[in-house]
Amino acid sequence: QVQLVESGGGLVQPGGSLRLSCAASGIIFSIAGMGWFRQAPGKERELVAHITSTGITNYAESVKGRFTISRDNAKNTVYLQMNSLKPEDTAVYICHCGLSGMNYWGKGTQVTVSS
């Protein structure tokens, strides 16, 4: 059974930083493409960042230069380092795994950027 468990969300002031983690189980993590999506109230879910099994990354234009996605295959974990956070980054951040044509999702972690 595939499980993706996110952690690291919370309340942060504008300009602050957070690091999200997503621990995966039930998959061969090293060959999976991993990503972070986010969904704000009343908005569609959007891709924030993605990292392939070989470490190639891509980012939404809105977060380029501020967010960094990385992975630790030894720990079956993907991270999202978020710097220079803005109020518009407020959303539920959801971990995604794409493997062998299947999509798996975590339950999400809330990130709130507010003074």
Side-chain angles (χ1 to χ4, degrees), residues 10 19 24 29 44 47 52 64 70 111-112:
R19 189 175 83 152
F29 182 82
E44 292 189 355
L47 175 66
T52 68
K64 278 184 179 178
S70 61
V111 171
T112 302

Side-chain angles (χ1 to χ4, degrees), residues 2-4 6 37 45 94-97 103-107:
V2 178
Q3 282 194 313
L4 302 174
E6 302 97 334
F37 285 71
R45 186 174 294 187
I94 305 158
C95 183
H96 171 264
C97 170
N103 292 297
Y104 304 97
W105 299 92
K107 293 183 178 180

Side-chain angles (χ1 to χ4, degrees), residues 23-42:
S25 59
I27 58 170
I28 305 174
F29 182 82
S30 61
I31 65 172
M34 301 296 298
W36 288 95
F37 285 71
R38 67 186 180 188
Q39 188 161 20

Side-chain angles (χ1 to χ4, degrees), residues 68-86:
T68 302
I69 188 170
S70 61
R71 63 191 297 159
D72 185 337
N73 289 343
K75 295 182 178 180
N76 284 8
T77 301
V78 62
Y79 303 97
L80 186 67
Q81 177 67 43
M82 305 186 294
N83 299 328
S84 302
L85 282 160
K86 304 175 181 180

